[in-house]
C-alpha cells in the first residue's frame, strides 16, 4: 500500500523558517516526480514545488520561488521542503504528492497524496 507521510508542519512567525518532510513507502517511486501542494479553506489545492526522480529538475510556483527549496534524499524515499522567509499567506495545509511521468502543476495529474500537515504563519 502506497503511503506518503508528511511531517514538520507547525506554527511560525513571519520571516521564520520551517522544514517539511515526506516519507514515501509501499512501492518503488522510480520515474516519479514528487512534490508539494497546499490548500486553504475555500480555495483550490495549488502547486508549490516538485522535483524529478533524479533530483536534477525542480520547479516552484512564483509565490514561493526564491524562498522555498525542494530536495530529494539519496535513497529517493523522502522529499523535503525547506521554507524560508515565511509569510502569513503561506498558511495552509501542505500535501505531499507523487506522479509518474513528466512534470505537472495540475493536481488531477498526481497519483498519490499524503494526509497533509498544517503550516500556520502569524504576522
Amino acid at each position: 500500500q502506497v503511503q506518503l507521510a508528511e511531517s514538520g508542519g507547525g506554527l511560525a512567525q513571519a520571516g521564520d523558517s520551517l522544514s517539511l518532510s515526506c516519507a514515501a513507502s509501499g512501492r518503488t517511486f522510480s520515474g516519479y516526480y514528487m512534490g508539494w501542494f497546499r490548500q486553504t479553506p475555500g480555495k483550490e489545492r495549488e502547486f508549490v514545488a516538485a522535483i524529478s526522480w533524479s533530483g536534477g529538475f525542480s520547479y516552484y510556483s512564483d509565490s514561493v520561488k526564491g524562498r522555498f527549496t525542494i530536495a530529494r534524499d539519496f535513497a529517493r524515499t523522502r522529499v523535503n521542503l525547506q521554507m524560508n522567509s515565511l509569510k502569513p499567506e503561506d498558511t495552509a495545509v501542505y500535501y505531499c504528492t507523487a506522479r509518474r511521468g513528466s512534470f505537472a502543476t495540475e493536481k488531477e495529474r498526481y497519483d498519490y497524496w499524503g494526509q497533509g500537515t498544517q503550516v500556520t504563519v502569524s504576522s
Side-chain angles (χ1 to χ4, degrees):
Q1 182 178 356
V2 172
Q3 281 195 319
L4 300 178
E6 303 98 337
S7 61
L11 300 174
Q13 292 190 328
D16 284 354
S17 297
L18 280 176
S19 181
L20 304 182
S21 186
C22 173
S25 62
R27 67 160 299 135
T28 300
F29 284 88
S30 175
Y32 276 72
Y33 266 82
M34 293 192 70
W36 295 89
F37 280 66
R38 66 187 182 186
Q39 189 171 20
T40 54
K43 292 191 176 181
E44 291 288 317
R45 193 170 296 189
E46 66 172 5
F47 170 77
V48 175
I51 190 166
S52 63
W53 161 250
S54 68
F57 298 93
S58 57
Y59 303 88
Y60 300 91
S61 68
D62 288 342
S63 60
V64 307
K65 197 175 297 182
R67 299 188 298 120
F68 290 12
T69 302
I70 190 169
R72 205 156 181 170
D73 74 330
F74 180 77
R76 298 182 176 88
T77 60
R78 186 175 293 273
V79 61
N80 300 315
L81 186 69
Q82 177 65 38
M83 306 184 294
N84 298 330
S85 302
L86 284 163
K87 303 176 180 180
E89 51 264 43
D90 294 319
T91 296
V93 177
Y94 283 72
Y95 295 90
C96 180
T97 186
R99 78 175 300 273
R100 182 169 176 79
S102 59
F103 166 66
T105 60
E106 300 87 351
K107 63 183 185 300
E108 295 80 8
R109 297 177 67 182
Y110 281 78
D111 303 308
Y112 302 107
W113 293 90
Q115 293 298 308
T117 185
Q118 177 71 46
V119 171
T120 303
V121 183
S122 61
S123 58

